[in-house]
């Protein structure tokens, strides 16, 4: 993939949540240092990033020009089980967001299981 070709300290692209970012300039400003970013250079770091930075939007820390575009997916290479896993993950994300919105409007934690 194009992202995989950009995996050096001088040219560091990382995919996060379906978007591709050039983190070359950001590495030196990263609070955890450049090592973690370099470990994910040229790869999709979404799960790792989301596990550590729950709810954080990377865009708030980057210059607008760091966003390079959406991560392209060759749908012909994806198995049905992969698509099922992807759909399930998206459903879980939507439920979480709905529960958050319900709790904000009702003042208590709601469940989005019926939606």
């Amino acid at each position: 993939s194009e992202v995989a070709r950009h995996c050096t300290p001088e040219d560091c692209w990382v995919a996060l949540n379906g978007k591709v970012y050039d983190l070359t300039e950001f590495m030196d400003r990263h609070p955890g240092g450049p090592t973690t970013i370099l470990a994910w250079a040229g790869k999709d770091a979404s799960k790792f990033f989301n596990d550590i930075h729950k709810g954080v939007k990377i865009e708030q820390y980057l210059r607008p020009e760091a966003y390079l575009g959406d991560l392209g997916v060759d749908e012909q290479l994806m198995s049905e089980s992969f698509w099922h896993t992807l759909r399930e993950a998206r459903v879980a994300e939507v439920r979480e967001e709905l529960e958050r919105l319900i709790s904000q409007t009702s003042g208590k934690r709601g469940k989005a299981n019926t939606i």
Side-chain angles (χ1 to χ4, degrees):
S1 83
E2 180 65 26
V3 175
R5 289 185 261 202
H6 301 270
C7 57
T8 67
E10 298 79 27
D11 185 24
C12 177
W13 290 13
V14 176
L16 293 170
N17 302 316
K19 297 179 179 182
V20 179
Y21 298 94
D22 182 345
L23 300 183
T24 308
E25 180 273 330
F26 177 71
M27 281 191 297
D28 291 331
R29 295 186 293 119
H30 183 248
T35 307
T36 302
I37 293 176
L38 279 173
W40 289 96
K43 302 173 189 167
D44 186 338
S46 301
K47 180 170 177 12
F48 181 80
F49 178 86
N50 293 331
D51 286 348
I52 292 174
H53 303 290
K54 297 191 186 316
V56 171
K57 302 290 184 204
I58 186 80
E59 294 87 357
Q60 66 190 18
Y61 298 101
L62 302 176
R63 295 182 179 155
E65 58 271 16
Y67 170 69
L68 301 174
D70 292 337
L71 182 62
V73 177
D74 186 346
E75 295 181 17
Q76 302 300 333
L77 299 177
M78 303 301 166
S79 68
E80 184 56 38
S81 66
F82 173 83
W83 284 114
H84 177 73
T85 303
L86 197 59
R87 284 189 296 270
E88 290 295 316
R90 184 65 185 129
V91 166
E93 287 175 359
V94 169
R95 277 196 181 123
E96 258 182 46
E97 182 64 13
L98 286 171
E99 288 172 8
R100 185 184 67 75
L101 292 170
I102 290 168
S103 70
Q104 284 179 347
T105 58
S106 68
K108 46 185 142 168
R109 192 77 173 150
K111 284 285 181 193
N113 290 334
T114 60
I115 297 174

